[in-house]
Amino acid sequence: LVSDMATVICLDDYHLNDRNGRKVSGLTALNTAEQNFDLMFEHVKALKDGKSVMKPIYNHVNGTLDTPEKVEPTPVIIIEGLHPFVDERVRELIDFSLYLDISSDVKLNWKIQRDMEERGHSLESIMASIEARKPDFDAYIEPQKEFSDYVIEVLPTDLDPEDKTTLKVRAIQKKGVADFNPTYLFDEGSEITWSPSADKLSTPAPGMVLKSTQETYFGNDVAVIEMDGTFDNIQELVYVESNLGN
């Protein structure tokens, strides 16, 4: 995404302390007390105003804060990380906001696959790691989805309760956002449930179901597009796309 047109800012770079500093404070990187929101706001505002900044760098390999780097403004600025919507001053600078909401069941399945099957960790250590971070996630990360214009929910499939790999994805799109028209299936504002023709879209078990619904999310009217299931040939998704509008 980085180009003459776009800049990506990782908000981990605005950790207040390095890894050793957090050992002293006893706080995790998810805790808002470990973030430098004043500097984050200053830099996001400066870049949006067309000014360059000297951005800090958090080194994820060794957990240190490295020498800052100069970042030049671009027409598109993407900020991503753990706390993009916590600070009201930063939120007001964001033109469009997106939150990736992965359910606890999916995160557990992914973490087991990565840490147990690929790294040899025990199930007990994996569960302990998840439980240790959950209070801070619930307190500081999850509440931010209330402020998002677009939420992508990743959930286990509803088509087969024994299936641990197939996913259901819901795109929750806030209505009334400037310069954004929510996507719908077939007919805007309608309630639609659709199973695509197997002759036009190869869908192995457990198949595929798409929905288009109108809902309320944190008191806001939203349009929701849902896709549950799997497919064989990504090129055949043109059939699905031809029935989407916005």
Side-chain angles (χ1 to χ4, degrees):
L1 291 175
V2 179
S3 67
D4 292 339
M5 292 295 294
T7 298
V8 179
I9 303 294
C10 176
L11 297 185
D12 287 359
D13 292 333
Y14 295 91
H15 287 337
L16 196 61
N17 293 304
D18 61 13
R19 193 172 295 160
N20 287 331
R22 291 197 298 275
K23 290 180 180 178
V24 174
S25 72
L27 303 176
T28 73
L30 280 65
N31 195 308
T32 53
E34 283 290 341
Q35 316 309 316
N36 189 341
F37 289 110
D38 287 339
L39 186 61
M40 184 191 300
F41 164 69
E42 179 185 318
H43 282 184
V44 174
K45 186 177 188 304
L47 288 168
K48 194 168 183 179
D49 289 342
K51 303 173 184 177
S52 61
V53 300
M54 293 299 296
K55 182 185 67 63
I57 298 175
Y58 180 77
N59 189 320
H60 288 87
V61 176
N62 53 33
T64 60
L65 292 169
D66 293 348
T67 304
E69 63 176 350
K70 187 175 184 178
V71 176
E72 300 288 353
T74 54
V76 177
I77 300 167
I78 300 170
I79 62 172
E80 56 90 14
L82 296 172
H83 306 95
F85 315 138
V86 169
D87 190 285
E88 184 178 1
R89 298 168 301 171
V90 176
R91 285 204 308 269
E92 291 179 350
L93 294 172
I94 298 173
D95 297 305
F96 189 79
S97 54
L98 185 150
Y99 183 96
L100 180 59
D101 188 12
I102 303 174
S103 76
S104 56
D105 287 339
V106 172
K107 280 190 284 191
L108 175 59
N109 290 336
W110 285 355
K111 194 167 179 62
I112 287 174
Q113 180 180 5
R114 185 191 68 181
D115 291 354
M116 179 181 285
E117 298 178 10
E118 299 176 11
R119 299 180 180 179
H121 295 184
S122 68
L123 180 60
E124 290 76 14
S125 67
I126 294 172
M127 296 300 297
S129 174
I130 291 174
E131 290 303 315
R133 293 170 62 89
K134 191 175 187 306
D136 278 358
F137 178 85
D138 292 344
Y140 306 115
I141 308 302
E142 188 171 34
Q144 294 178 81
K145 62 187 179 184
E146 175 182 355
F147 305 108
S148 184
D149 300 320
Y150 198 112
V151 176
I152 300 175
E153 289 185 339
V154 183
L155 306 151
T157 179
D158 288 335
L159 304 178
D160 181 355
E162 301 301 319
D163 189 334
K164 302 299 183 183
T165 57
T166 302
L167 302 174
K168 177 177 73 174
V169 178
R170 286 166 41 92
I172 303 172
Q173 310 160 92
K174 187 185 294 183
K175 297 181 180 180
V177 176
D179 302 315
F180 172 69
N181 296 317
T183 300
Y184 56 87
L185 184 62
F186 293 117
D187 182 37
E188 185 175 10
S190 296
E191 302 282 324
I192 303 289
T193 298
W194 178 43
S195 296
S197 168
D199 294 332
K200 298 178 180 179
L201 183 66
S202 302
T203 55
M208 180 184 289
V209 175
L210 294 102
K211 294 182 180 180
S212 184
T213 58
Q214 313 304 309
E215 302 178 16
T216 301
Y217 189 79
F218 287 103
N220 297 302
D221 291 333
V222 296
V224 180
I225 286 287
E226 176 182 311
M227 179 175 176
D228 189 354
T230 188
F231 53 89
D232 278 337
N233 187 349
I234 193 170
Q235 294 180 340
E236 293 180 351
L237 283 181
V238 172
Y239 170 50
V240 174
E241 293 174 353
S242 67
N243 292 294
L244 297 175
N246 67 354

